[in-house]
Amino acid sequence: MIDTHTQGRYQEVSNTWRYAKLQTTEAYLGLLRERGKRGLPITRVYRQLYNTNLYLTAYGRVYRNAGSMTPGVTEETADGTSLETFDTIITALRQERYQWQLARRTYIPKKTGKKKRPLGMPIWSDKLLAEVMRMILTAYFEETFSEHSHGFREGRGCHTALREIYHTWRGCAWIIEGDIADCFGSLDHNLIISALAEHIQDGRFLNLVGQLPDAGYMEEWKFKRTLSGVPQGSIITPLTMLQTLGIFF
């Protein structure tokens, strides 16, 4: 349930958000989809992070999430969002001084119930910027992923995987299940950037992506570095993982 204060903040930007989503944002993302489909690299991506319309669209996507009201290492949450929030992020990016903040680490039970999974809780500004970057990367790379890939993709999941099996698999006798142990926690930071750099010709944007996993996390009020792996809980993490694994599979 969203409280009245949050609803008020949303109404402040709702009309502008609807316009941005239908116009500028979709035009740019459509261009990225086309270049991804044609296998063409993209350039000058970083300067698109100055576009307020992208943040308005990102806000419309993530403010409804349960985690939007969960604070990270600061008290900042979705209910304090205004156009000034976007301007603050954009100003820092223009001056190339935006700093990803530590994620607050917590643990949630795995489906088996026997072990717990680490989960990073970023601050709200980081969530907004990460969603903008995720939108950009998804628009481009979605066209490059295999049709048989279903995990961590919009509109795809177990239901689409089962549908593919039902309609296209014939005479299947064996199904082998595999799992990459500690996949998120083991990804090499340099490998992530190398995978993205094959398609993105923009050093500033790649540096910004690379700084995210290097930001570290706070656990029981103690700072800990992340020398490898990417934080579970970050909006952009699943996409970078998929693109990196695409090198090998």
Side-chain angles (χ1 to χ4, degrees):
M1 179 177 294
I2 302 173
D3 59 26
T4 55
H5 183 58
T6 301
Q7 290 176 338
R9 288 294 187 182
Y10 176 66
Q11 290 171 357
E12 178 184 345
V13 297
S14 61
N15 291 334
T16 310
W17 167 62
R18 291 190 183 96
Y19 176 81
K21 185 177 182 181
L22 294 173
Q23 300 296 324
T24 308
T25 298
E26 282 306 313
Y28 177 60
L29 297 183
L31 175 64
L32 293 178
R33 294 186 191 101
E34 182 61 27
R35 293 191 70 85
K37 186 184 300 183
R38 296 169 61 188
L40 299 175
I42 51 177
T43 60
R44 296 178 290 183
V45 183
Y46 188 87
R47 71 176 187 176
Q48 294 297 330
L49 301 179
Y50 308 156
N51 188 343
T52 304
N53 290 325
L54 291 175
Y55 294 89
L56 291 164
T57 306
Y59 174 76
R61 288 173 177 263
V62 300
Y63 93 98
R64 296 181 180 89
N65 296 346
S68 67
M69 297 301 296
T70 303
V73 295
T74 70
E75 296 300 317
E76 182 187 16
T77 57
D79 66 346
T81 306
S82 66
L83 294 176
E84 184 179 354
T85 304
F86 309 144
D87 291 339
T88 300
I89 297 173
I90 292 171
T91 298
L93 289 168
R94 284 183 181 276
Q95 298 174 357
E96 297 188 34
R97 58 179 180 81
Y98 189 89
Q99 295 290 327
W100 300 103
Q101 298 299 307
L102 303 175
R104 179 174 63 85
R105 173 165 286 191
T106 186
Y107 290 86
I108 58 174
K110 291 188 174 182
K111 292 182 179 180
T112 60
K114 296 180 180 179
K115 295 182 179 180
K116 290 188 175 182
R117 186 189 310 278
L119 185 67
M121 308 299 294
I123 66 169
W124 175 242
S125 292
D126 284 357
K127 289 179 183 178
L128 282 173
L129 177 56
E131 173 61 16
V132 171
M133 297 169 70
R134 186 203 65 80
M135 287 161 43
I136 291 172
L137 293 173
T138 297
Y140 179 81
F141 285 112
E142 179 65 24
E143 302 296 335
T144 69
F145 292 144
S146 168
E147 281 297 312
H148 308 295
S149 171
H150 298 272
F152 301 109
R153 296 175 64 185
E154 291 184 2
R156 289 173 175 257
C158 292
H159 64 291
T160 55
L162 291 172
R163 186 183 304 139
E164 179 182 347
I165 292 172
Y166 180 81
H167 288 291
T168 63
W169 291 27
R170 296 291 185 269
C172 177
W174 292 89
I175 295 179
I176 300 175
E177 179 183 4
D179 180 51
I180 301 176
D182 192 27
C183 179
F184 287 104
S186 302
L187 284 176
D188 183 88
H189 295 178
N190 293 327
L191 191 60
I192 294 172
I193 300 303
S194 296
L196 296 177
E198 292 182 6
H199 306 273
I200 301 174
Q201 299 175 357
D202 187 331
R204 291 193 299 170
F205 185 83
L206 293 174
N207 286 338
L208 188 62
V209 174
Q211 290 167 6
L212 176 56
D214 291 335
Y217 61 94
M218 185 78 70
E219 184 174 3
E220 295 182 351
W221 300 106
K222 294 181 180 179
F223 167 68
K224 297 188 178 181
R225 296 184 179 277
T226 48
L227 301 178
S228 65
V230 290
Q232 294 191 51
S234 172
I235 294 171
I236 203 173
T237 290
L239 182 64
T240 55
M241 181 270 293
L242 284 177
Q243 182 57 27
T244 305
L245 292 180
I247 298 176
F248 306 103
F249 300 103

